[in-house]
């Protein structure tokens, strides 16, 4: 379960450990920090912020059932976005990372209203797969995708635990962004499936790694796993480069 106090304490620890460019001795991580995390292009940011405003400020009503709890909710797109959507800085980071690493195929769990999906669709990636458990929310996102005319977005609706493996096997993504279910057991399920069905995936991003004790412990297990040669903590998310040709290393980077 999420704990704002726990997350706040974790953030203070993160800030005390976070490194910047002057502290980095890995050429790959140094370049990633300067050309992806810190680099901002005004024209890009302006266009993406405009897109975000167009999508996230809608007062369209949504009546949906939470696919994990079965509870029904009534809200608006605006309120849902304010509660669950990533901040612009993180969505923009996804866009920059895809372009910098030249990833062609991306798979995302947890479409929500489609904000991160649309940011990634603006990148050079030729195929974006996105999975959403709520049919009602998926319909809202689909409307956004159609308005933006992004034909290369492949939307999959249904319980993510059921659709993940079939989508993974078909997509064979370069980048996987996990943002649908913030529980350690689900993260373990995802990672095991990736190793089995998409072993060539180059990058895995796990959102909300400090959202709860459970997620924090899950992330620590991943960091300690020798199977993952390079891991990076941005606080909002953890990044795994499972096949990076370097001795096992972990970095905490200021974001």
């Amino acid at each position: 379960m999420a704990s704002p106090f726990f997350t706040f304490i974790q953030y203070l620890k993160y800030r005390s450990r976070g490194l910047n460019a002057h502290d980095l001795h890995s050429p790959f991580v140094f370049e990633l920090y300067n050309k992806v995390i810190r680099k901002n292009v005004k024209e890009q940011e302006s266009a993406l912020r405009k897109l975000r405003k167009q999508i996230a400020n809608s007062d369209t009503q949504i009546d949906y059932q939470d696919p994990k709890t079965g509870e029904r909710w009534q809200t608006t797109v605006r309120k849902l976005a304010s509660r669950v959507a990533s901040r612009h800085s993180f969505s923009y980071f996804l866009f920059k990372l895809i372009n910098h690493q030249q990833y062609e195929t991306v798979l995302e769990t947890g479409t929500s209203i489609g904000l991160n999906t649309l940011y990634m669709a603006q990148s050079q990636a030729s195929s974006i797969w996105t999975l959403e458990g709520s049919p009602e929310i998926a319909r809202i996102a689909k409307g956004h995708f159609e308005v933006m005319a992004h034909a290369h977005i492949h939307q999959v609706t249904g319980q993510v635990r059921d659709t993940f493996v079939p989508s993974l096997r078909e997509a064979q993504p370069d980048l996987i962004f996990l943002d649908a279910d913030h529980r350690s057991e689900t993260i373990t399920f995802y990672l095991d499936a990736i190793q089995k069905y998409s072993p060539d995936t180059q990058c895995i991003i796990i959102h909300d790694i400090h959202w709860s004790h459970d997620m924090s412990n899950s992330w620590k297990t991943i960091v300690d796993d020798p199977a993952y040669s390079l891991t990076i903590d941005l606080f909002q998310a953890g990044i795994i480069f499972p096949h990076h040709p370097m001795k096992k290393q972990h970095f905490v980077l200021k974001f």
Side-chain angles (χ1 to χ4, degrees):
M1 181 178 293
S3 169
F5 179 73
F6 172 79
T7 301
F8 176 70
I9 296 300
Q10 291 297 102
Y11 180 72
L12 295 180
K13 293 178 180 178
Y14 159 79
R15 291 298 298 177
S16 69
R17 296 195 302 263
L19 304 177
N20 57 34
H22 301 293
D23 305 309
L24 299 174
H25 302 294
S26 162
F28 174 80
V29 179
F30 180 85
E31 183 172 297
L32 190 75
Y33 185 83
N34 285 293
K35 293 189 176 181
V36 179
I37 295 174
R38 286 301 181 188
K39 184 177 180 180
N40 296 319
V41 178
K42 186 176 181 180
E43 293 78 10
Q44 287 178 347
E45 278 219 89
S46 177
L48 291 170
R49 284 185 183 277
K50 183 178 179 180
L51 178 153
R52 185 183 193 87
K53 185 176 181 180
Q54 181 177 347
I55 297 301
N57 287 354
S58 169
D59 287 319
T60 299
Q61 293 287 325
I62 310 176
D63 182 349
Y64 72 98
Q65 185 176 38
D66 188 308
K68 292 191 291 293
T69 66
E71 188 175 357
R72 292 211 68 87
W73 293 84
Q74 289 184 330
T75 186
T76 64
V77 169
R78 184 196 304 270
K79 290 179 180 178
L80 183 62
S82 68
R83 185 167 60 87
V84 303
S86 302
R87 294 180 180 179
H88 163 77
S89 59
F90 184 78
S91 301
Y92 184 35
F93 162 76
L94 295 174
F95 167 91
K96 292 184 290 183
L97 178 66
I98 292 168
N99 287 345
H100 182 263
Q101 293 297 110
Q102 299 182 332
Y103 295 141
E104 289 295 325
T105 304
V106 177
L107 188 149
E108 169 194 37
T109 66
T111 312
S112 188
I113 63 170
L115 268 177
N116 281 328
T117 318
L118 287 168
Y119 271 68
M120 293 189 290
Q122 299 293 114
S123 74
Q124 68 172 33
S126 59
S127 181
I128 308 290
W129 288 67
T130 183
L131 282 54
E132 173 56 47
S134 166
E136 296 89 353
I137 294 178
R139 281 195 290 271
I140 295 292
K142 183 179 181 181
H144 295 157
F145 302 155
E146 290 174 347
V147 168
M148 300 299 174
H150 285 306
H152 63 306
I153 295 178
H154 306 278
Q155 189 177 20
V156 180
T157 305
Q159 289 288 342
V160 177
R161 286 286 289 255
D162 297 330
T163 62
F164 184 71
V165 170
S167 299
L168 187 67
R169 296 177 73 170
E170 185 174 352
Q172 292 298 299
D174 303 304
L175 168 67
I176 298 174
F177 175 43
L178 302 175
D179 191 27
D181 189 340
H182 305 118
R183 295 179 295 177
S184 61
E185 61 180 278
T186 306
I187 299 302
T188 299
F189 165 78
Y190 287 146
L191 295 179
D192 287 347
I194 293 166
Q195 288 182 357
K196 185 175 182 179
Y197 299 109
S198 186
D200 294 328
T201 292
Q202 299 174 44
C203 181
I204 305 164
I205 301 176
I206 304 173
H207 206 213
D208 292 328
I209 56 172
H210 298 293
W211 186 71
S212 65
H213 286 274
D214 179 55
M215 282 296 290
S216 185
N217 289 335
S218 178
W219 175 242
K220 185 179 185 305
T221 299
I222 292 166
V223 169
D224 293 339
D225 190 337
Y228 300 123
S229 58
L230 174 59
T231 51
I232 297 174
D233 185 340
L234 300 181
F235 187 74
Q236 292 186 53
I239 308 175
I240 306 169
F241 292 96
H243 308 298
H244 197 274
M246 67 187 298
K247 185 179 179 181
K248 172 69 177 175
Q249 290 193 63
H250 174 64
F251 296 86
V252 179
L253 302 183
K254 291 181 179 177
F255 183 77

